[in-house]
Amino acid sequence: MTTLPHLINGQRKTVDGKTVRTNINPATGTPINETPLDATDAVDQAVAAATEAFPAWSQTPVGDRVQFLFRYKTLLEEHVDELAALVVEEHGKTTAEGIGSVRRGIDCIEHACGAPVLMQGRTLPQIAVSSTFCRTEDEGGIGIDSAVDRVPLGVCAGITPFNFPVMVPMWMWPMAVATGNTFVLKPSEKDPVSALRTTELAMEAGLPPGVLNLVHGGHEVVNHLLAHDDVAAISFVGSTRAGEHIYRTAAAHGKRVQCMCGAKNHSIIMPDANRGAAVDGIVGSAFGNTGQRCLAGSVVVLVGETADWFVPELVKQAKAITVGAGDTPGVNMGPMQDVESCDRVMSYIDIGLQDGADLLLDGREANMPSEGCFVGPTIFDNVTPSMRIAAEEIFGPVLSVMRADTLDDAIAMVNESEYGNMAVLFTDSGHAARRFETTVQAGMLGINVGVPAPMAAFPFAGWKRSFFGDLHTNGEDGFRFFTKSRVTVRRWI
Ligand code: NAD
């Protein structure tokens, strides 16, 4: 079994700790590699390499820095199928989902290429006049100019989840290095090969050694990074439980932090909604990526008589989903990523039954392979907001159906959630849409869109316990997160 190497200073490097995690192909259960979990020495080496690379990289003109990203984008385009196949093997996505996730990563590279414009500061000439020292400038006094520049922070680190192993690291390091920082990535210990490969491709594209480093590990390695004196900022994506710990710990060590966290996303369907679009949107949102998505719509709230036409069609379409290995033609839902995730989903099906919800479709009885981490689409009806399946993030293909008399009642149900990542409304009414947009508590909204994932030019993050920090990832926020402002006041005498 291969123990995965780190990537430090442009080289594959083996630094073992005491423990490893054995990863499997979740579609077959076959072991594929081992991730070192506690190699804290590797963190020290990676941070040292990034620290050494920082002075030259931060002084490299931004136009030259983004040339590397242009080359990298071209290289990624050539490797889409290879990267997608790695994602399918180690994560379990379908091939189409794997390709889609790599393409969304490339979108971030394109956005980062905008650094020469997006990291610009502002200047205001003649913000004041100094007349106390002398009165030149045609007796009016010497003009004073003021400027704010955006400058890189230093060594930044990224800690990423398992569910988008190519895309999520690209929410971070391309913008960080485009703005002149150097970077240490700690990918999920559960499926780190595709992140390792994309990092190696960055070296092939000509990124200088030390600018981007990758260390494997689990919690101990993360905690070592959080406490490291030479790390200036932490960008995290993962569960709320981990994110809260990471936010507090990194902030206590004086670091800039952003934590994009867990979710329990609600979609509201109005009686006037386009029926086909609504059912398609909810099926895709709840069961796409096997529900392992921070934008998974895992609760649907049906207003008024919507349930009469929505529920039968929902169950029919969910039953038609073919579950199997992600690279098998015709399969449209892959396995859960590992055995523990599969067990967690099964246990939530039991919890839903114990809490009194009606099980309309039981994922344990789906037609699916006997080996591997499979569970089929699951639908509970007559769920109430206080039930655990309505309130807790399950992160699997389990959809809860709730019912409300009015739009305002439905919005109130959505706003009861401790999370606020995304919320969706299907309607034909502009008035209803406006009411929803202005009263629902979530950071990303969809109107007649089941998965309103912002493209990279827009910021990505939620509200409430789905996010800790100030600046979101991507968009202009991404550039602001990886730069600090420096104000200069100038007078030429
Ligand atoms: P996770 O929190 O278990 O792990 C994420 C990362 O944090 C991993 O690299 C892991 O090693 C590290 N980690 C986990 N617990 C830690 C601890 N106690 N101390 C130190 N480090 C720790 O998340 P996951 O299971 O890999 O991913 C799924 C979660 O990510 C879901 O909750 C999902 O909603 C969330 N997610 C959120 C977004 C978003 O944009 N808000 C995007 C993708 C995924």
Side-chain angles (χ1 to χ4, degrees), residues 159-164 167-168 171 186-190 217-223 226 236-243 245-246 259-263 292-295 341 344 393 395 421 444 460-462 466-467 473:
I159 298 154
T160 54
F162 78 84
N163 68 324
F164 282 92
M167 179 188 76
V168 171
W171 290 357
K186 202 301 283 176
S188 171
E189 61 276 35
K190 297 177 180 176
H219 304 180
E220 206 172 323
V221 160
V222 171
N223 290 330
L226 301 183
F236 166 84
V237 177
S239 62
T240 294
R241 194 167 157 200
H245 159 71
I246 285 166
C259 292
M260 282 61 70
C261 295
Q292 299 171 107
R293 190 157 57 178
C294 72
L295 292 177
S341 304
R344 184 185 63 244
E393 182 176 42
F395 219 57
N421 211 39
M444 294 178 276
F460 190 120
S466 292
F467 176 70
T473 189

Side-chain angles (χ1 to χ4, degrees), residues 76-369:
L76 285 178
E77 296 278 4
E78 289 163 12
H79 287 80
V80 168
D81 290 342
E82 177 203 338
L83 291 167
L86 289 176
V87 172
V88 171
E89 183 187 30
E90 65 176 352
H91 177 287
K93 287 188 199 299
T94 64
T95 299
E97 290 168 346
I99 290 172
S101 74
V102 176
R103 294 233 157 265
R104 276 305 184 102
I106 292 174
D107 182 32
C108 301
I109 308 298
E110 290 169 3
H111 180 55
C113 287
V117 172
L118 289 165
M119 74 175 293
Q120 283 181 16
R122 284 181 287 126
T123 309
L124 189 55
Q126 199 74 357
I127 196 168
V129 172
S130 153
S131 55
T132 51
F133 181 65
C134 58
R135 295 189 62 80
T136 55
E137 304 267 6
D138 298 333
E139 305 302 325
I142 299 172
I144 294 180
D145 308 330
S146 202
V148 57
D149 305 322
R150 304 228 46 110
V151 296
L153 306 173
V155 178
C156 302
I159 298 154
T160 54
F162 78 84
N163 68 324
F164 282 92
V166 169
M167 179 188 76
V168 171
M170 292 188 194
W171 290 357
M172 305 173 178
W173 72 260
M175 266 149 280
V177 305
T179 48
N181 302 279
T182 55
F183 205 85
V184 177
L185 171 66
K186 202 301 283 176
S188 171
E189 61 276 35
K190 297 177 180 176
D191 52 5
V193 176
S194 33
L196 182 62
R197 183 70 185 125
T198 49
T199 309
E200 281 184 334
L201 288 173
M203 307 301 130
E204 268 183 48
L207 191 66
V211 173
L212 172 65
N213 307 273
L214 180 148
V215 287
H216 297 291
H219 304 180
E220 206 172 323
V221 160
V222 171
N223 290 330
H224 197 66
L225 266 173
L226 301 183
H228 204 297
D229 286 341
D230 296 334
V231 174
I234 300 283
S235 181
F236 166 84
V237 177
S239 62
T240 294
R241 194 167 157 200
E244 199 164 14
H245 159 71
I246 285 166
Y247 187 71
R248 288 177 197 276
T249 311
H253 283 94
K255 301 186 194 317
R256 184 177 287 205
V257 206
Q258 57 175 186
C259 292
M260 282 61 70
C261 295
K264 189 75 185 178
N265 303 306
H266 294 63
S267 312
I268 301 174
I269 318 292
M270 297 295 286
D272 66 358
N274 179 296
R275 297 181 178 192
V279 177
D280 280 1
I282 297 309
V283 168
S285 185
F287 305 123
N289 285 281
T290 321
Q292 299 171 107
R293 190 157 57 178
C294 72
L295 292 177
S298 51
V299 182
V300 62
V301 188
L302 306 178
V303 176
E305 70 271 21
T306 304
D308 299 344
W309 54 265
F310 187 88
V311 172
E313 191 57 28
L314 170 73
V315 175
K316 186 176 147 202
Q317 284 204 22
K319 270 187 184 161
I321 290 173
T322 306
V323 181
D327 52 2
T328 305
V331 161
N332 27 47
M333 195 175 108
M336 296 296 296
Q337 198 271 331
D338 63 5
V339 175
E340 292 76 23
S341 304
C342 201
D343 291 347
R344 184 185 63 244
V345 172
M346 302 290 189
S347 76
Y348 269 105
I349 297 176
D350 289 338
I351 289 167
L353 287 168
Q354 283 156 21
D355 284 353
D358 298 333
L359 187 54
L360 297 186
L361 185 62
D362 187 346
R364 299 169 300 189
E365 291 174 2
N367 182 10
M368 56 199 175

Side-chain angles (χ1 to χ4, degrees), residues 268 270 407-408 411 414-415 423-427 429-449 452 463:
I268 301 174
M270 297 295 286
L407 174 61
D408 282 351
I411 292 172
V414 177
N415 289 347
V424 161
L425 178 73
F426 278 87
T427 186
S429 156
H431 178 263
R434 189 169 187 284
R435 177 115 187 120
F436 169 79
E437 281 178 46
T438 51
T439 54
V440 80
Q441 296 295 309
M444 294 178 276
L445 304 185
I447 306 289
N448 297 319
V449 172
W463 288 0

